[in-house]
Amino acid sequence: MSGVARWFQSRRGAASADGPGRSGRSARRGGPDGLTAAGDPAAPLRLLRTVAAGIGTTLDEPTTCTELTRAVVRTVGGGAAVMRRTGDTVSGYESITGDPDLLPDARWATAVARDAGTPAADRWADPWLSRPAADGIRPALCAPLTSGSDQYGVLVCAREGIAFTRAEAELLALLAERAASHIRHAREYEQVNRTAGDLQRALLSEPGRPHPNLDVAIRYLPAGGRVLVGGDWCETVRLHFGRTLLVVGDVMGHGLEAAVDMNAYRSSLRYIASSELPPHRVLRQLDDIAATEADRRPATCLLVRVDPSRGQVTLASAGHLPPALITGAGRTSLLPVPVGPPLGTGFGGYESATHRIEPDQALILFTDGLVEHRGEDIDRSLHRLAALHFSPAVGVDALLESILTRLDARNAEDDVAVLAARPHPRPGPLSAEAGPEGEASW
């Protein structure tokens, strides 16, 4: 559950594998009669619906290709493979199902894959190309993976003895067309995620610089093996009198839109924080700006202003989880912080809280992906973090690595952004310029 959804909640108090297999056995026994089920004219449509339902169950191109070849072998027997095409590049045989020794010479299939995008009327009118059986040569069929004007490769299938009937060829061509449509969506999805990933990495590669009296380490881990980028971010803003504002935030959702909104929140925060307002007033202004933009996604955010010369931290939260404090002895606890509504709701009502911090203590700010497990109460998830013990006075980089490893954050179900900071006040003029003794809370 996202932090935004959690805050609102707190305010309220494909076809089975056996089906295609049976159809495939019938088709292999009876050839075209297997496809028509003893003269039943509706049988081909039922078979097509059943087999096609298992193709394109994910937005992963290799998975779609494997689903296609499995459906082909279950339907007509033999062996099947896909040759994928990207631009002018054609792969070898991939997603092989059935007997690979039955497949024709790859050079023939490659030539078909290169020409299949624009078939000539005088060469082959049907949306497939058959190779008849001959001495030592098995019958084979190539069907292009075409969606609209885009061509993504070919389906190649072959079997012993019996040539493919026209009914079988029509069915395989339709399956190839369905797979091509899902491959197109998978490539578009991959391109959007790649763009979002580039944007997120560019933004996260330029954090602000804290004062030298504060050691800071930051990690960002996208969820899963694929780059599915969310709106998680960490930030540091250098303030006057040796103070530094630490920020962690989480925009609702994933992908390019969340990354764009994250950039908007981050830019606004840098501008507002430069005016030296207390944390709760920074959140108030951020919320006012976001609430006027109808398309802006809500976001949770935690601000922690660290003042090493006074040994103080001032916190304010917009629907975000509290920070952890690790003592010099290595014990972990959660710092209480008043929780207001997420940014972008327009509700306002943010408050600040101030706590003491010693030079040997470390602050940990994080998004919910670090601790949260699906189906688990968030209090239990936070308790898992609070139960951790560490070696005394370990550096902030080593501290972060230990946390990520012990909470298995690299296998988290959501994106993870986490920041560790430890103050070390420097003697000299800075301590004498610690800033005003108090601040207005309006």
Side-chain angles (χ1 to χ4, degrees):
M1 181 188 301
S2 70
V4 175
R6 186 186 303 108
W7 186 88
F8 279 110
Q9 186 183 68
S10 69
R11 299 285 78 96
R12 294 194 300 268
S16 71
D18 290 340
R22 288 194 296 270
S23 299
R25 288 192 294 272
S26 174
R28 290 194 291 274
R29 285 197 303 268
D33 289 338
L35 293 178
T36 58
D40 180 1
L45 292 178
R46 286 198 298 268
L47 175 64
L48 176 62
R49 185 180 298 111
T50 300
V51 176
I55 300 175
T57 61
T58 70
L59 282 171
D60 180 70
E61 183 175 344
T63 299
T64 298
C65 292
T66 299
E67 292 170 342
L68 171 62
T69 57
R70 287 176 178 172
V72 168
V73 171
R74 288 171 180 169
T75 304
V76 300
V82 165
M83 281 187 160
R84 289 193 287 168
R85 175 176 171 179
T86 305
D88 294 330
T89 302
V90 178
S91 73
Y93 283 141
E94 298 180 348
S95 304
I96 299 173
T97 302
D99 188 353
D101 294 335
L102 296 176
L103 296 173
D105 190 318
R107 289 173 294 183
W108 174 73
T110 300
V112 175
R114 293 188 185 280
D115 297 337
T118 54
D122 59 347
R123 292 175 56 195
W124 50 287
D126 295 320
W128 65 82
L129 183 64
S130 297
R131 190 185 70 174
D135 292 339
I137 300 179
R138 301 177 182 87
L141 181 142
C142 275
L145 301 173
T146 303
S147 178
S149 60
D150 297 321
Q151 206 269 338
Y152 302 103
V154 291
L155 164 69
V156 185
C157 48
R159 65 186 180 192
E160 287 282 6
I162 305 173
F164 292 98
T165 67
R166 183 173 187 84
E168 290 173 325
E170 289 279 7
L171 175 61
L172 298 183
L174 286 171
L175 295 179
E177 183 179 340
R178 177 181 176 87
S181 177
H182 287 286
I183 290 173
R184 174 171 62 85
H185 290 306
R187 292 192 182 183
E188 291 173 351
Y189 178 76
E190 181 69 26
Q191 178 60 42
V192 168
N193 280 324
R194 191 160 45 245
T195 301
D198 292 342
L199 174 60
Q200 182 90 352
R201 281 188 292 274
L203 293 170
L204 292 175
S205 66
E206 299 178 359
R209 291 190 305 161
H211 278 281
N213 59 10
L214 195 67
D215 292 332
V216 173
I218 294 175
R219 299 288 189 276
Y220 171 73
L221 303 175
R226 299 172 61 86
V227 181
L228 185 62
V229 179
D232 296 24
W233 90 96
C234 293
E235 179 67 278
T236 65
V237 181
R238 192 165 176 163
L239 305 175
H240 292 110
F241 308 112
R243 300 174 298 176
T244 298
L245 184 68
L246 307 178
V247 185
V248 63
D250 185 358
V251 177
M252 183 178 68
H254 298 86
L256 181 60
E257 294 83 359
V260 169
D261 283 343
M262 181 272 289
N263 182 36
Y265 278 113
R266 190 176 186 182
S267 298
S268 298
L269 182 138
R270 286 176 171 177
Y271 173 75
I272 297 170
S274 65
S275 63
E276 299 285 334
L277 293 171
H280 68 281
R281 292 188 59 194
V282 174
L283 290 179
R284 185 189 303 175
Q285 292 203 20
L286 275 174
D287 182 54
D288 288 342
I289 293 173
T292 62
E293 301 180 14
D295 295 334
R296 180 82 70 89
R297 299 181 180 208
T300 65
C301 186
L302 174 68
L303 303 185
V304 179
R305 190 182 63 192
V306 185
D307 189 343
S309 63
R310 288 185 177 167
Q312 290 182 346
V313 292
T314 303
L315 300 75
S317 172
H320 204 85
L321 297 177
L325 179 70
I326 301 176
T327 68
R331 296 186 176 275
T332 306
S333 62
L334 300 175
L335 284 181
V337 53
V339 181
L343 301 175
T345 61
F347 294 156
Y350 304 106
E351 300 178 23
S352 293
T354 300
H355 300 277
R356 293 292 303 171
I357 187 170
E358 302 299 331
D360 61 349
Q361 295 178 332
L363 283 167
I364 308 296
L365 286 64
F366 53 93
T367 56
D368 52 13
L370 177 69
V371 297
E372 194 170 47
H373 289 178
R374 186 176 290 113
E376 181 182 69
D377 183 81
I378 188 60
D379 290 334
R380 183 177 179 85
S381 303
L382 290 171
H383 177 75
R384 188 183 304 108
L385 171 62
L388 296 180
H389 290 246
F390 301 91
S391 300
V394 65
V396 289
D397 278 293
L399 190 61
L400 274 194
E401 287 302 317
S402 178
I403 292 173
L404 294 174
T405 299
R406 294 166 69 179
L407 295 180
D408 196 24
R410 290 177 175 82
N411 295 312
E413 299 167 351
D414 197 0
D415 298 344
V416 175
V418 58
L419 179 153
R422 174 180 285 122
H424 52 88
R426 297 183 303 165
L430 186 61
S431 299
E433 299 176 1
E437 287 298 321
E439 286 183 296
S441 59
W442 59 85

